[in-house]
Amino acid sequence: MDIDYFKSTFHFSAEKNIPLYEQLIAYIKIQIQQGVLKPGDQMITENDLCGALNISRTTVRQCMNRLVEEGLLIRQRGRGSFIANPKLKRNINYLYNFTENMRSIGASPTSVVLTKEVSNITNKQLITSLQLPETDPRAFHLLRLRCANGTPLLLENTYIPYYLCSGIEQFNFEAVSLYDTLSSHYSLNLYHASETIEAIIIKGAVAKLLKCSSNTPGYQIERVSHLDSGYVFELTTSTTRADKCIFRLELYKNANFSKNKLDFQRSIHI
């Protein structure tokens, strides 16, 4: 994007009760989402933006700092700012949603379904984790490669007790949301989830799917989700490259307050 294109397509709206830097952020995100600005492209300098838009350096700096914080821009000393490759940004305080996260950073989310089947579960640990009844130890198994702008970021392996969602294998989860389907068709709403995050080395077939070399550092994230009744309705194990994921945790001075806040947010946020 050159400065002439920027000047001809972007205009501040005096009627909107939105700060100037927020309008600038929204515009740049749209340009990234539409592919006008691509990963690796150099961003217009702050000085050029100030001159072209006749705004203060503070306003431009607020915009650029926010884009850097959100992982959309990277600064390189002596070279300037560049459009970043998409990254997962998981706020540990909140229940995570891949599609919403990718859209929030201006990326286009897609899914590739690798496995979609109803299985008789024989693994005792999995039976226990899913609280499967002895009379019906079946689970819906969904293995997906989650991508942003066509780049694989996350390998997501999900099991759901089949007695909760009979017939769910008929849905196309490359086109529809799993959680939306569970909510709208089966009246199953995520109430609480616990996650564990483990540092791993990605190897073999998983490395090939995530388009990285074998022995690449990564994270394995296991989520166990519960209904408000307390029953388990999902076990998902996700694998992502360490260079493609950022974890964020908000901390507070008072330890008791922090714990209560984290528990509360995890329980009600979907």
Side-chain angles (χ1 to χ4, degrees):
M1 179 195 292
D2 58 30
I3 196 65
D4 291 332
Y5 175 87
F6 195 99
K7 290 170 66 175
S8 65
T9 58
F10 176 72
H11 303 282
F12 285 117
S13 174
E15 298 178 0
K16 293 183 179 179
N17 188 25
I18 302 174
L20 297 183
Y21 77 92
E22 292 280 4
Q23 294 183 45
L24 192 54
I25 289 169
Y27 170 82
I28 293 173
K29 284 184 175 181
I30 290 171
Q31 302 312 305
I32 293 173
Q33 189 169 15
Q34 293 180 344
V36 177
L37 289 171
K38 300 179 177 64
D41 286 353
Q42 186 164 13
M43 187 60 195
I44 300 168
T45 68
E46 293 182 7
N47 285 337
D48 286 345
L49 284 175
C50 291
L53 303 177
N54 193 28
I55 55 177
S56 71
R57 184 67 177 267
T58 299
T59 297
V60 174
R61 180 58 61 88
Q62 283 179 296
C63 168
M64 296 303 166
N65 286 345
R66 175 75 69 79
L67 293 172
V68 169
E69 289 174 3
E70 293 186 10
L72 295 175
L73 282 184
I74 54 173
R75 290 191 175 109
Q76 297 183 8
R77 186 180 296 274
R79 295 190 60 205
S81 297
F82 295 82
I83 305 302
N85 287 310
K87 284 191 176 184
L88 295 171
K89 189 171 184 181
R90 296 178 68 106
N91 189 328
I92 299 176
N93 305 66
Y94 296 90
L95 294 176
Y96 179 73
N97 183 298
F98 177 84
T99 300
E100 291 180 3
N101 180 246
M102 290 299 100
R103 286 174 177 164
S104 73
I105 63 173
S108 176
T110 55
S111 297
V112 178
V113 173
L114 304 174
T115 301
K116 186 179 69 168
E117 62 185 9
V118 180
S119 304
N120 257 321
I121 305 301
T122 57
N123 181 287
K124 291 183 178 180
Q125 183 176 349
L126 187 53
I127 290 174
T128 301
S129 297
L130 290 170
Q131 298 177 348
L132 295 176
E134 293 183 3
T135 55
D136 189 7
R138 292 180 299 168
F140 173 59
H141 179 204
L142 181 64
L143 179 64
R144 291 178 293 175
L145 189 63
R146 315 301 298 273
C147 307
N149 297 337
T151 300
L153 296 183
L154 192 72
L155 182 63
E156 200 170 71
N157 195 25
T158 298
Y159 288 90
I160 301 171
Y162 192 63
Y163 73 89
L164 292 174
C165 57
S166 178
I168 195 171
E169 70 276 8
Q170 300 172 18
F171 291 89
N172 177 11
F173 290 108
E174 292 186 355
V176 299
S177 162
L178 175 62
Y179 276 10
D180 285 350
T181 301
L182 290 169
S183 176
S184 60
H185 290 272
Y186 298 96
S187 299
L188 300 175
N189 294 297
L190 175 60
Y191 175 75
H192 166 80
S194 59
E195 286 190 347
T196 58
I197 302 168
E198 179 183 2
I200 61 168
I201 299 297
I202 302 173
K203 299 180 179 181
V206 176
K208 187 175 181 180
L209 286 169
L210 292 174
K211 293 187 177 180
C212 62
S213 59
S214 193
N215 297 320
T216 294
Y219 295 107
Q220 183 170 285
I221 307 146
E222 183 180 275
R223 171 190 284 194
V224 181
S225 301
H226 299 260
L227 303 172
D228 54 5
S229 62
Y231 286 104
V232 171
F233 92 105
E234 173 204 18
L235 172 63
T236 293
T237 302
S238 304
T239 304
T240 183
R241 290 163 48 177
D243 63 340
K244 295 291 186 181
C245 187
I246 299 171
F247 294 100
R248 180 172 179 268
L249 175 64
E250 295 182 7
L251 301 175
Y252 297 84
K253 184 177 180 180
N254 185 301
N256 291 329
F257 174 76
S258 175
K259 181 178 185 301
N260 291 337
K261 185 176 181 64
L262 292 179
D263 288 345
F264 177 72
Q265 290 176 333
R266 282 181 175 271
S267 296
I268 68 168
H269 189 84
I270 296 177

